[in-house]
Amino acid sequence: MNDFKNLNKQRQTLLKIKIDGYIEAAILAAKTNNIGLSEAVFLTTQGLIREIAAQSIEKDKARILMDAAFKSAFPEHHARVATH
């Protein structure tokens, strides 16, 4: 994950936009076929996880990556979990 930091700010921003666009397109494609948002997100996430497995990333490492991504999008979730 340190390689991303080696890119200049413009390249980082463009890469984020491109990847976000792929995810948005996947969800839009699913919704276009009249399935709900929850199913669309599930199918998109499932596809991402299949790709992670295809790249031979270990399950524990994949969970760490997914958890870090989740916490970056929902930082309040981490604080709430930590207090329980």
Side-chain angles (χ1 to χ4, degrees):
M1 289 182 37
N2 292 330
D3 295 335
F4 183 75
K5 292 178 183 177
N6 292 333
L7 300 175
N8 67 42
K9 293 294 181 185
Q10 181 180 10
R11 299 264 314 175
Q12 287 179 6
T13 301
L14 291 173
L15 183 57
K16 283 181 183 181
I17 290 168
K18 188 172 187 175
I19 291 172
D20 285 351
Y22 287 131
I23 300 300
E24 185 177 347
I27 291 173
L28 181 61
K31 287 177 68 177
T32 299
N33 286 285
N34 296 318
I35 68 169
L37 180 60
S38 294
E39 284 182 292
V41 170
F42 172 79
L43 291 170
T44 303
T45 305
Q46 189 179 46
L48 175 61
I49 291 170
R50 276 194 307 269
E51 184 59 28
I52 288 170
Q55 295 297 323
S56 300
I57 296 174
E58 295 177 12
K59 189 188 292 188
D60 290 339
K61 177 69 173 177
R63 284 189 175 136
I64 290 168
L65 293 171
M66 297 297 281
D67 189 48
F70 191 87
K71 287 175 183 172
S72 73
F74 297 101
E76 74 282 353
H77 178 271
H78 178 61
R80 189 169 49 236
V81 171
T83 61
H84 290 168

